[in-house]
Amino acid sequence: MKSLSIQTQNKINLPLLLKHIIPVIQAQWLGESDEMAIDHISIDSRSLQNGISTLFFALAGPNNDAHDYIGELIDTGVVNFVVTRIPDEVRGQANFLVVDNTLTALQQFAAFYRNQFHFPIIGITGSNGKTIVKEWLNFLLGPDYNIIRSPKSYNSQVGVPLSVMSINQKHNLGIFEAGISTTGEMEKLERIIRPTIGLLTNIGSAHDEGFANIGEKIKQKLKLFAHAEVLICHKNKTIDAFLNPSVKTFTWSCKHDEADVLITKKLVVDKTQLKVRLGADEFEIKVPFQDDASVENAIQCMMVMLHFGYEPTVIENRMSLLFPVEMRLKVKNGINNSMIIDDSYSSDFQSLKIALDFLENQKHYKKKTLILSDIFQSGLSNDELYSQVSELVISNKINRMIVVGETISKFKNKFLNCTAFASTKDLMAAIDTLSFGNETILVKGARDFKFEEVVALLEEKTHETVLEINLNAISHNLNYYRSKLDAKTKLMVMVKAFGYGNGGFEIAKLLEHHKTDYLGVAFADEGIALKNAGITLPIMVLNPETTSFTAIIQHRLEPEIYSIKGLNAFLRVAEQKKLEGYPIHLKLDTGMHRLGFEEKQLEELIFILRAHPAVQVKSILSHMATSDDLNHRDFALSQIALFDRLSERLMTELKIKPIRHILNTSGIENFPQAQYDMVRLGIGLYGISNDADEQKFLENVGTLKSIISQLRTIPAGDSVGYGRRFMATAPTKVATVPIGYADGISRHWGNGNGHVVINGKKAPILGSVCMDMLMVDVSEIKCKEGDAVIIFGENPTVIQMAQKLETIPYEILTSISQRVKRVFYRE
């Protein structure tokens, strides 16, 4: 099963029976009754929303196969499946629709479903801006239409069909985005969306690797509009060269007079004034942005409104209210040991389902609270809508509801343990009486309700420097390395050192969601914290101290044993507790010479293990010293050969078949022949590789951000910071940033060696890095107090910093202080 990072289940509002679906997807029927009604489509075996009326499509990807989870789904009540094969253990236990390819079947069904509806559909594609334009169009057109749109950035080969299957009979306008990464994909999405109105946003460099050249990329993107009645786009000679002459266009430009709409831009204070000429008509509007990307996205939205015939005054009034789009579900630490999932900028039925699945996947505490505002544009009557919301809340086992809004408050009786408030102001006034603590809180509200103010009250107060962790990127990197493994190779992921500085529990929870086989920590307290937080995956402790053995056993952790002394100490504790077959992991020293049994100790090791049934050897492992440096390939191969020989001896003489593993992140790429039964993924999960070619395939996980606390301009001759290590030779604009060496920033990064990025431009660090602050030169940067400051992320990268500091990325990541707030988000 392709692992999706967001909700994967949709409501169908047509009375469909299995017998109606069978011919649509060209399925072979094997089951009890084809008269069963279907009102949900799902591809996520972990969703709590699966049930008896669900049709589950068992997708198979390079790293996971949903067919493996059919038995579990049957146990939860699912009885209808689209499969390519029926696993022997579930044959005869459910209804099966057998097809050649389940993804193709999902797309066929979505295309069939789309064709049941006849109203305008806007199809959006391009390299950048798709999701923002979609959300803005929803805002701008929402007062006049009942809109169905793609949730979040649901624009893939799987996301598009799931989005389209959210249409119901009350909708009268659709807005769907389509994203592709290579050739041959857009034709499939076109058949599903079948847009009547096309919108082509900016064509940039995103996903260039999937296309031979920019021309091929444009040609593929334009296939979305094969049957569109009109295509709205920027007038561009390159795009014109690939346009089908039969496609009607509605174009805009800032320089080509032949465009249908000619636009002149002018910066006015903090806005951009657009002078618009359409035929003989001229008018002006202002948009609340000045950056080129936002202005271009706003123009695309204006073009759609012009196509729909809106008056200029209406366009200006609505566009003046445009806002930055928050496309992330953020996980934050809350007050009183609570965890907050911040989704405070949208409230519609589909995105609620996505957020509830995210809540279940990321919950830190068993108690779950939902703060929910009125829901808009559902296409349903209020009674039907809130009945469905109630069903959703019950299926997701929400313990407490707090609803805000005059409409949803009228239906509070549909929710158990529900408190209602007419407005956000009323909720905030009563927040201290609601007793938040030791719970996971999903805050989900339409923008008009300003739930960001609620989040601010509930959020744990920390300073303004944050490390943002992209959970999508972690999932991507995990799947990248999984794609390198043989089908039967298990995967242990290292979450030691607080997840390499990125955060322990949240990443462990995600890994549990992705069904990794083992987690690895360095010390027992790290593993205990994860177990206490509810992690159920087996956890190996790689460097257990003898004083921690009792706690390890108490919390069902699994110790790595690397010495005779340590083995005897663990056996004493195990036998005192009268254990039998407790799992341990034997570490062999094959050349690292750090920890592990040497060959000369094997005879004694075997003798002890034969005499003590209190323990069971769960795995045998070793650690490679040079897996990342092919100049030492011969040494690495000698380690593998020695490991093979020593582990074989242990297996033969002890008559055991444990898991064997020696490869770390670099070893997965460089020595695939030594995968054995399991590999250990470490720094690669966090987007860092020692191989420049491999690095191109990984996504950045962590972005360390702060803000400008204060700006000042100093004259020539003045100095900055301790010791006057920077002396200004000309008037210099200085920005102070509240992050320093107590937060993990090396003092060697100061004095002009390093830089931060502000508004896309480099700002050199002036003078010494202080304990809690650093100062940067922003003389050439347009900025203001409160603007964001990037310390590392996409630019500069941790790898670039490490090279400049003559260290390794591990040290930089693990140095980030615990006082720096971690914010986890999913796009």
Side-chain angles (χ1 to χ4, degrees), residues 296-483:
E296 181 170 333
N297 291 333
I299 290 172
Q300 301 279 17
C301 294
M302 178 195 72
M303 290 293 291
V304 174
M305 297 187 78
L306 288 173
H307 173 71
F308 275 62
Y310 281 88
E311 292 294 327
T313 52
V314 176
I315 296 175
E316 178 168 20
N317 288 339
R318 293 188 186 177
M319 291 189 67
S320 68
L321 301 174
L322 288 179
F323 46 85
V325 174
E326 180 57 72
M327 294 179 288
R328 301 170 174 179
L329 283 159
K330 292 183 176 179
V331 181
K332 303 175 178 179
N333 290 329
I335 59 174
N336 304 325
N337 294 318
S338 64
M339 186 179 82
I340 301 168
I341 297 176
D342 180 3
D343 194 13
S344 56
Y345 294 93
S346 67
S347 182
D348 59 82
F349 190 64
Q350 285 308 113
S351 65
L352 174 61
K353 293 161 76 174
I354 293 169
L356 285 169
D357 264 1
F358 184 73
L359 165 64
E360 181 62 24
N361 295 334
Q362 285 296 132
K363 68 182 181 193
H364 197 150
Y365 303 95
K366 290 183 178 180
K367 181 181 177 183
K368 295 183 289 186
T369 293
L370 171 60
I371 302 177
L372 182 66
S373 78
D374 285 345
I375 294 177
F376 302 124
Q377 295 178 328
S378 70
L380 305 171
S381 68
N382 285 332
D383 187 67
E384 186 177 0
L385 168 63
Y386 291 110
S387 293
Q388 290 191 16
V389 172
S390 176
E391 292 174 9
L392 204 57
V393 167
I394 292 169
S395 67
N396 279 271
K397 301 176 183 177
I398 300 300
N399 303 98
R400 175 169 63 154
M401 286 283 291
I402 298 171
V403 299
V404 181
E406 293 183 358
T407 303
I408 195 171
S409 293
K410 295 175 183 176
F411 297 91
K412 64 170 290 188
N413 292 336
K414 290 184 180 289
F415 307 105
L416 295 174
N417 194 18
C418 179
T419 305
F421 297 93
S423 68
T424 304
K425 182 179 179 181
D426 293 340
L427 167 61
M428 294 176 68
I431 205 111
D432 290 337
T433 68
L434 294 172
S435 301
F436 292 100
N438 299 305
E439 61 192 304
T440 304
I441 308 164
L442 170 59
V443 182
K444 178 76 176 158
R447 183 175 181 82
D448 290 349
F449 285 85
K450 298 183 179 179
F451 272 9
E452 65 272 17
E453 297 177 5
V454 176
V455 172
L457 285 179
L458 295 177
E459 192 174 359
E460 183 181 58
K461 303 303 180 282
T462 53
H463 71 120
E464 293 165 305
T465 296
V466 300
L467 180 60
E468 291 187 345
I469 310 298
N470 185 338
L471 297 175
N472 295 81
I474 290 178
S475 296
H476 168 87
N477 297 337
L478 176 71
N479 287 328
Y480 170 78
Y481 284 103
R482 270 184 165 165
S483 71

Side-chain angles (χ1 to χ4, degrees), residues 673-699:
Q673 74 279 12
Q675 289 183 19
Y676 290 100
D677 306 296
M678 185 163 71
V679 298
R680 302 187 301 273
L681 177 60
I683 195 73
L685 181 75
Y686 307 98
I688 295 170
S689 171
N690 292 306
D691 185 300
D693 290 331
E694 183 177 77
Q695 185 64 47
K696 298 174 185 175
F697 296 98
L698 302 179
E699 293 185 359

Side-chain angles (χ1 to χ4, degrees), residues 506-537:
E506 291 82 2
I507 292 173
K509 187 68 177 176
L510 181 65
L511 295 171
E512 191 166 65
H513 175 75
H514 283 298
K515 298 184 183 294
T516 53
D517 300 284
Y518 259 93
L519 299 179
V521 298
F523 298 102
D525 57 351
E526 296 174 310
I528 292 169
L530 293 178
K531 287 293 186 182
N532 286 340
I535 297 299
T536 59
L537 285 176

Side-chain angles (χ1 to χ4, degrees), residues 171-192:
H171 293 125
N172 57 14
L173 177 64
I175 309 174
F176 298 106
E177 56 176 299
I180 59 172
S181 56
T182 190
T183 59
E185 293 183 342
M186 190 61 85
E187 296 94 332
K188 299 172 184 176
L189 301 186
E190 191 278 335
R191 286 192 289 271
I192 299 168

